[in-house]
Amino acid sequence: MQNSVEIKNLDLQFGAVKVLQNLNLEIGKGEFLVLLGSSGCGKSTLLNCIAGLLDVSGGQIHINDRNVTWAEPSDRGIGMVFQSYALYPQMTVEGNLSFGLKNAKLPKPEIAKRIKHASEVLQIEPLLKRKPAALSGGQRQRVAIGRALVRDVDVFLFDEPLSNLDAKLRADLRVEIKRLHHKLQNTMIYVTHDQIEAMTLADRIAIMRGGQIMQLGSPDEIYGQPINKYVADFIGSPSMNFLEGNIKNGTFEMGELSIPLDGYEFGDTGAATEGAATMGIRPEHVVTGELVESTPFQVDVEVNLIEPTGSDTLVDCEVAGHHFRVRMDGQSRVSVGEKLRLGFAPARASLFDAKTELRL
Amino acid sequence: MIDTTSAPLTGPQGPKPRKPFSRRNIFLYGTLITIALFYALPLYVMFVTSLKGMPEIRLGNVFSPPLEVTFQPWVKAWSEACTGLTCNGLSTGFWNSVQITIPSVILSIIIASVNGYALSNWKFKGADAFFTILIFGAFIPYQVMLYPIVIMLREVGLYGSLGGLVLVHTVFGMPILTLLFRNYFTSLPEELFKAARVDGAGFWAIYAKVMVPMSLPIFTVAVILQVTGIWNDFLFGVVYTSPDNYPMTVSLNNIVNSTQGVKEYNVNMAATILTGLVPLSIYFVSGRLFVRGIAAGAVKG
Ligand SMILES: Nc1ncnc2c1ncn2[C@@H]1O[C@H](COP(=O)(O)OP(=O)(O)OP(=O)(O)O)[C@@H](O)[C@H]1O
Ligand SMILES: [Mg+2]
């Protein structure tokens, strides 16, 4: 597959603060890449570098096999959508959509054609004569997407486009963006805090931390085989349970408990490593009730706390002195103090070296 | 449905009752009224005096309204009062002031707004140093600069002309106006600027089509500041222009302080009110614009 965006050894610093360090990233044509990471890790900065809104301190950026490191934002073939919509408040929706095209000195009929097309795709035709102030949040964000759309670019950059919207609208627009991507088939780079957005939209997710990419992979990989403890902890809600212990002779030993590691696929060597380690197991991979009998590892616990969320019920308990959460069906009836038998398959767990925190 | 009727409430409910003559109110309104009188009384005295004839003024009832209203003092102040040798009243000074104020206000606001825009959005090399120097300029006492500027104006051949004074006003308005505009533009969402750049707008296009339309309130503030400042200026007017080009404030001074003949208080009062009329009307006109401007600017990006 041909690459649409290539970032090579990118460095960016503000004065003495290094925000991005030696970052490399290749994004294929038509790919939907999500940048995910905690606040301040440099996601927006990376996006601004790709857009040309920040001068890089080192490295190169290629878009469609053209070195655009020094090119103006408007010459890069990108469109950008911002969290705060950033619509020009004194222009109508039509004015907002046509601003970029007028700057590019496109002929009038062409401008009209593109606006018509974009407003059809985004269903904003009735709003064209309004000012942004007279639009709802969802409509504003649609206009902002339209502004990128009319420019007929190859790469769309989204910086947390949905995070100013309420939960329901966010879910709706998320679906709409996904549909738009299917239809247009252009490259999209999308920054978000929201895991659900990341998991549902992405072809690949890049988990960022401290200006570097920790893991780059499909949502399945990121969720199922997190490369280190940070990624494992970051992805998934409620977050992963961690148990500390030792690996010895193919079992994970933790005080009196020992968990057989049959079926766990070790990375690199393929053979079981020995020594201190952390086991991570997701709350949704722990089973209760009749299903327990079929799992290789079982343990009895006492319920400390329950959090019903409607669809699920989260149960807090303790396993060998470690805080442990279990996700049960919303219909299940449990009460605090009750004894519960849990089971899980180590094959679905993740093991991390206790020191390096890397996946074993 | 949830049942929304309930038993009648007892105890405090609804708005809290307030005593109209509480000690707090008496103190508050007492202070406000006193201060208002303090400012309004001189204006009242000026106005009634300007409508009286000299014989009535000599009676000495400063606060009494005119027995016989006459507009003669106003006419005289405008077109006949003597300033030194000539007797053209304030009219010449008025037109000079108009010719000084309008170009100075327009020039200084255009330059300062572009400065502020460049400083806040296009962080060029040395922008911070430039800004610091400019702000420092706001704190240099005018008196220090008076004479050097006389020499500079003389060297470029603008000394004594209206153009020279316009230049001086434009330059002296720069620090405070640039600060004003820079702070306003910095407060606008940065993403708008970024969006405009992605849309391919250049330096001037972003300024004219994105920034200026959003900045009505700050332009209004700048106009008020500059018009009143320049119109009321006396020092620069008297130093940098020649008698033919004296602004209205200087003419007023010459009329009021003229040593020939009797002191015509009614003419002096009328002349003073006439001179103050322009800043006053600016407040009235743009005050309303100002409110409207703020309302328009309240639209969030
Ligand atoms: N102009 C600047 N000067 C100095 N430091 C900056 C500047 N802009 C950003 N930073 C720093 O760079 C780091 C990355 O910022 P960035 O905005 O890219 O984070 P982010 O990942 O987008 O965070 P968020 O999810 O909160 O939007 C932060 O630590 C921030 O403090
Ligand atoms: Mg950000």
Side-chain angles (χ1 to χ4, degrees), chain A residues 40 43-45 83 159-160 191 193:
Chain A
K43 307 180 295 290
S44 300
T45 307
Q83 179 179 354
D159 195 352
E160 307 192 29
V191 168
H193 271 133

Side-chain angles (χ1 to χ4, degrees), chain B residues 79-185:
Chain B
S79 54
E80 292 158 20
C82 293
T83 61
L85 298 175
T86 55
C87 287
N88 292 334
L90 281 171
S91 52
T92 327
F94 174 83
W95 290 115
N96 285 340
S97 275
V98 169
Q99 285 175 58
I100 294 162
T101 305
I102 290 176
S104 310
V105 169
I106 293 175
L107 257 181
S108 60
I109 288 179
I110 289 178
I111 298 175
S113 60
V114 174
N115 270 353
Y117 158 69
L119 282 169
S120 73
N121 286 314
W122 300 85
K123 303 204 172 55
F124 54 92
K125 248 205 185 95
D128 287 338
F130 178 78
F131 187 59
T132 315
I133 292 170
L134 203 66
I135 294 310
F136 188 68
F139 296 107
I140 296 179
Y142 288 175
Q143 291 79 349
V144 176
M145 320 270 282
L146 275 183
Y147 189 55
I149 289 180
V150 169
I151 298 174
M152 273 156 59
L153 286 179
R154 195 187 59 207
E155 291 306 310
V156 295
L158 284 173
Y159 182 64
S161 69
L162 289 177
L165 190 55
V166 168
L167 182 69
V168 171
H169 279 307
T170 306
V171 169
F172 275 90
M174 233 13 70
I176 190 73
L177 285 184
T178 304
L179 178 70
L180 202 71
F181 278 106
R182 192 201 81 123
N183 289 353
Y184 183 82
F185 288 135

